[in-house]
mmCIF file of all heavy atoms in Angstrom:
data_model
loop_
_atom_site.group_PDB
_atom_site.id
_atom_site.type_symbol
_atom_site.label_atom_id
_atom_site.label_comp_id
_atom_site.label_asym_id
_atom_site.label_seq_id
_atom_site.Cartn_x
_atom_site.Cartn_y
_atom_site.Cartn_z
ATOM 1 N N GLY A 9 -50.160 65.452 56.814
ATOM 2 C CA GLY A 9 -49.984 64.308 55.917
ATOM 3 C C GLY A 9 -48.587 64.304 55.324
ATOM 4 O O GLY A 9 -48.119 65.345 54.838
ATOM 5 N N GLY A 11 -47.363 61.989 52.855
ATOM 6 C CA GLY A 11 -47.197 61.204 51.623
ATOM 7 C C GLY A 11 -46.526 62.095 50.585
ATOM 8 O O GLY A 11 -46.046 63.195 50.914
ATOM 9 N N PRO A 12 -46.487 61.647 49.317
ATOM 10 C CA PRO A 12 -45.807 62.448 48.285
ATOM 11 C C PRO A 12 -46.330 63.881 48.167
ATOM 12 O O PRO A 12 -45.547 64.808 47.962
ATOM 13 C CB PRO A 12 -46.050 61.670 46.992
ATOM 14 C CG PRO A 12 -46.972 60.551 47.335
ATOM 15 C CD PRO A 12 -46.960 60.361 48.806
ATOM 16 N N ALA A 13 -47.643 64.091 48.353
ATOM 17 C CA ALA A 13 -48.191 65.452 48.231
ATOM 18 C C ALA A 13 -47.630 66.350 49.330
ATOM 19 O O ALA A 13 -47.126 67.454 49.057
ATOM 20 C CB ALA A 13 -49.721 65.407 48.292
ATOM 21 N N ASP A 35 -49.011 60.798 60.403
ATOM 22 C CA ASP A 35 -49.315 59.734 61.364
ATOM 23 C C ASP A 35 -48.674 58.393 61.035
ATOM 24 O O ASP A 35 -48.877 57.419 61.749
ATOM 25 C CB ASP A 35 -50.833 59.599 61.549
ATOM 26 C CG ASP A 35 -51.552 59.243 60.268
ATOM 27 O OD1 ASP A 35 -50.879 59.059 59.230
ATOM 28 O OD2 ASP A 35 -52.788 59.153 60.280
ATOM 29 N N GLU A 36 -47.916 58.335 59.940
ATOM 30 C CA GLU A 36 -47.176 57.098 59.649
ATOM 31 C C GLU A 36 -45.693 57.382 59.870
ATOM 32 O O GLU A 36 -45.164 58.328 59.277
ATOM 33 C CB GLU A 36 -47.359 56.692 58.184
ATOM 34 C CG GLU A 36 -48.734 56.165 57.841
ATOM 35 C CD GLU A 36 -48.813 55.735 56.375
ATOM 36 O OE1 GLU A 36 -48.954 56.618 55.505
ATOM 37 O OE2 GLU A 36 -48.728 54.537 56.106
ATOM 38 N N ARG A 42 -45.766 53.559 48.322
ATOM 39 C CA ARG A 42 -46.933 52.662 48.232
ATOM 40 C C ARG A 42 -46.926 51.838 46.941
ATOM 41 O O ARG A 42 -47.345 50.681 46.933
ATOM 42 C CB ARG A 42 -48.235 53.472 48.312
ATOM 43 C CG ARG A 42 -48.356 54.269 49.588
ATOM 44 C CD ARG A 42 -49.755 54.792 49.822
ATOM 45 N NE ARG A 42 -49.745 55.904 50.759
ATOM 46 C CZ ARG A 42 -49.547 55.797 52.069
ATOM 47 N NH1 ARG A 42 -49.342 54.624 52.599
ATOM 48 N NH2 ARG A 42 -49.544 56.862 52.848
ATOM 49 N N CYS A 43 -46.457 52.444 45.835
ATOM 50 C CA CYS A 43 -46.456 51.747 44.537
ATOM 51 C C CYS A 43 -45.682 50.416 44.618
ATOM 52 O O CYS A 43 -45.923 49.510 43.828
ATOM 53 C CB CYS A 43 -45.810 52.597 43.449
ATOM 54 S SG CYS A 43 -46.320 54.314 43.434
ATOM 55 N N ARG A 77 -50.936 62.754 64.989
ATOM 56 C CA ARG A 77 -52.125 62.875 64.129
ATOM 57 C C ARG A 77 -52.888 64.132 64.490
ATOM 58 O O ARG A 77 -53.153 64.375 65.679
ATOM 59 C CB ARG A 77 -53.011 61.631 64.308
ATOM 60 C CG ARG A 77 -54.199 61.642 63.394
ATOM 61 C CD ARG A 77 -54.931 60.326 63.366
ATOM 62 N NE ARG A 77 -56.153 60.499 62.587
ATOM 63 C CZ ARG A 77 -56.208 60.424 61.261
ATOM 64 N NH1 ARG A 77 -55.139 60.132 60.574
ATOM 65 N NH2 ARG A 77 -57.339 60.631 60.619
ATOM 66 N N VAL A 78 -53.213 64.928 63.488
ATOM 67 C CA VAL A 78 -54.029 66.123 63.742
ATOM 68 C C VAL A 78 -55.455 65.644 63.990
ATOM 69 O O VAL A 78 -56.046 64.954 63.154
ATOM 70 C CB VAL A 78 -53.973 67.114 62.552
ATOM 71 C CG1 VAL A 78 -54.981 68.235 62.740
ATOM 72 C CG2 VAL A 78 -52.565 67.684 62.405
ATOM 73 N N ALA A 104 -52.882 67.456 53.091
ATOM 74 C CA ALA A 104 -52.356 66.412 52.190
ATOM 75 C C ALA A 104 -52.654 65.068 52.845
ATOM 76 O O ALA A 104 -51.764 64.237 53.047
ATOM 77 C CB ALA A 104 -50.862 66.627 51.984
ATOM 78 N N THR A 105 -53.931 64.901 53.189
ATOM 79 C CA THR A 105 -54.333 63.767 54.042
ATOM 80 C C THR A 105 -54.564 62.459 53.276
ATOM 81 O O THR A 105 -54.908 61.438 53.878
ATOM 82 C CB THR A 105 -55.614 64.136 54.833
ATOM 83 O OG1 THR A 105 -56.554 64.712 53.909
ATOM 84 C CG2 THR A 105 -55.316 65.151 55.921
ATOM 85 N N GLY A 106 -54.414 62.487 51.954
ATOM 86 C CA GLY A 106 -54.466 61.247 51.186
ATOM 87 C C GLY A 106 -55.845 60.649 51.033
ATOM 88 O O GLY A 106 -56.862 61.365 51.012
ATOM 89 N N ARG A 126 -52.865 49.614 51.902
ATOM 90 C CA ARG A 126 -52.549 51.031 51.830
ATOM 91 C C ARG A 126 -51.206 51.351 52.496
ATOM 92 O O ARG A 126 -50.377 52.026 51.935
ATOM 93 C CB ARG A 126 -53.669 51.841 52.517
ATOM 94 C CG ARG A 126 -53.530 53.350 52.395
ATOM 95 C CD ARG A 126 -53.895 53.834 51.009
ATOM 96 N NE ARG A 126 -53.555 55.226 50.798
ATOM 97 C CZ ARG A 126 -53.665 55.859 49.649
ATOM 98 N NH1 ARG A 126 -54.133 55.229 48.585
ATOM 99 N NH2 ARG A 126 -53.309 57.119 49.520
ATOM 100 N N GLY A 272 -52.976 66.274 46.285
ATOM 101 C CA GLY A 272 -52.855 64.806 46.313
ATOM 102 C C GLY A 272 -54.197 64.103 46.373
ATOM 103 O O GLY A 272 -55.239 64.650 45.983
ATOM 104 N N ASP A 273 -54.172 62.889 46.887
ATOM 105 C CA ASP A 273 -55.355 62.020 46.877
ATOM 106 C C ASP A 273 -56.568 62.626 47.572
ATOM 107 O O ASP A 273 -57.702 62.229 47.305
ATOM 108 C CB ASP A 273 -55.035 60.695 47.585
ATOM 109 C CG ASP A 273 -54.303 59.715 46.682
ATOM 110 O OD1 ASP A 273 -53.907 60.107 45.583
ATOM 111 O OD2 ASP A 273 -54.136 58.553 47.099
ATOM 112 N N GLN A 289 -56.254 59.372 41.819
ATOM 113 C CA GLN A 289 -55.481 59.027 42.999
ATOM 114 C C GLN A 289 -54.185 58.350 42.567
ATOM 115 O O GLN A 289 -54.030 57.148 42.618
ATOM 116 C CB GLN A 289 -56.332 58.184 43.954
ATOM 117 C CG GLN A 289 -57.050 59.078 44.963
ATOM 118 C CD GLN A 289 -58.496 59.382 44.652
ATOM 119 O OE1 GLN A 289 -59.031 58.895 43.662
ATOM 120 N NE2 GLN A 289 -59.142 60.167 45.489
ATOM 121 N N LEU A 290 -53.273 59.204 42.074
ATOM 122 C CA LEU A 290 -51.980 58.738 41.572
ATOM 123 C C LEU A 290 -50.854 59.489 42.267
ATOM 124 O O LEU A 290 -50.998 60.690 42.564
ATOM 125 C CB LEU A 290 -51.864 59.015 40.068
ATOM 126 C CG LEU A 290 -52.762 58.220 39.131
ATOM 127 C CD1 LEU A 290 -52.673 58.775 37.720
ATOM 128 C CD2 LEU A 290 -52.375 56.742 39.149
ATOM 129 N N ALA A 291 -49.729 58.796 42.448
ATOM 130 C CA ALA A 291 -48.578 59.439 43.086
ATOM 131 C C ALA A 291 -48.093 60.631 42.261
ATOM 132 O O ALA A 291 -47.660 61.650 42.809
ATOM 133 C CB ALA A 291 -47.458 58.422 43.258
HETATM 134 C C1 FAD B 501 -50.669 49.421 46.633
HETATM 135 C C2 FAD B 501 -50.611 50.746 45.935
HETATM 136 C C3 FAD B 501 -49.960 50.848 44.720
HETATM 137 C C4 FAD B 501 -49.922 52.091 44.066
HETATM 138 N N1 FAD B 501 -49.263 52.167 42.863
HETATM 139 C C5 FAD B 501 -49.169 53.354 42.260
HETATM 140 C C6 FAD B 501 -48.413 53.483 41.045
HETATM 141 O O1 FAD B 501 -47.834 52.495 40.541
HETATM 142 N N2 FAD B 501 -48.364 54.705 40.456
HETATM 143 C C7 FAD B 501 -48.985 55.796 40.999
HETATM 144 O O2 FAD B 501 -48.903 56.886 40.414
HETATM 145 N N3 FAD B 501 -49.705 55.703 42.138
HETATM 146 C C8 FAD B 501 -49.801 54.526 42.774
HETATM 147 N N4 FAD B 501 -50.499 54.431 43.950
HETATM 148 C C9 FAD B 501 -51.216 55.625 44.464
HETATM 149 C C10 FAD B 501 -50.279 56.525 45.259
HETATM 150 O O3 FAD B 501 -49.624 55.794 46.244
HETATM 151 C C11 FAD B 501 -51.103 57.649 45.887
HETATM 152 O O4 FAD B 501 -51.738 58.349 44.854
HETATM 153 C C12 FAD B 501 -50.210 58.582 46.668
HETATM 154 O O5 FAD B 501 -49.660 57.939 47.783
HETATM 155 C C13 FAD B 501 -51.005 59.809 47.140
HETATM 156 O O6 FAD B 501 -50.175 60.630 47.887
HETATM 157 P P1 FAD B 501 -50.769 61.605 48.997
HETATM 158 O O7 FAD B 501 -49.607 62.277 49.611
HETATM 159 O O8 FAD B 501 -51.852 62.419 48.435
HETATM 160 O O9 FAD B 501 -51.477 60.639 50.051
HETATM 161 P P2 FAD B 501 -50.895 59.469 50.971
HETATM 162 O O10 FAD B 501 -49.729 58.808 50.357
HETATM 163 O O11 FAD B 501 -52.064 58.634 51.349
HETATM 164 O O12 FAD B 501 -50.391 60.237 52.269
HETATM 165 C C14 FAD B 501 -51.285 60.883 53.140
HETATM 166 C C15 FAD B 501 -50.795 60.687 54.547
HETATM 167 O O13 FAD B 501 -51.527 61.547 55.428
HETATM 168 C C16 FAD B 501 -51.780 60.861 56.625
HETATM 169 N N5 FAD B 501 -52.867 61.540 57.350
HETATM 170 C C17 FAD B 501 -54.180 61.584 57.054
HETATM 171 N N6 FAD B 501 -54.844 62.309 57.977
HETATM 172 C C18 FAD B 501 -53.931 62.726 58.868
HETATM 173 C C19 FAD B 501 -54.016 63.496 60.059
HETATM 174 N N7 FAD B 501 -55.181 63.974 60.496
HETATM 175 N N8 FAD B 501 -52.883 63.752 60.758
HETATM 176 C C20 FAD B 501 -51.686 63.262 60.316
HETATM 177 N N9 FAD B 501 -51.543 62.518 59.195
HETATM 178 C C21 FAD B 501 -52.656 62.251 58.485
HETATM 179 C C22 FAD B 501 -52.142 59.470 56.118
HETATM 180 O O14 FAD B 501 -52.091 58.503 57.131
HETATM 181 C C23 FAD B 501 -51.030 59.284 55.082
HETATM 182 O O15 FAD B 501 -49.852 58.817 55.691
HETATM 183 C C24 FAD B 501 -50.552 53.216 44.635
HETATM 184 C C25 FAD B 501 -51.215 53.110 45.867
HETATM 185 C C26 FAD B 501 -51.244 51.889 46.517
HETATM 186 C C27 FAD B 501 -51.937 51.774 47.843
#
Side-chain angles (χ1 to χ4, degrees):
D35 61 2
E36 288 182 281
R42 301 194 200 287
C43 315
R77 184 169 173 84
V78 171
T105 48
R126 186 75 190 174
D273 279 8
Q289 268 100 2
L290 291 171

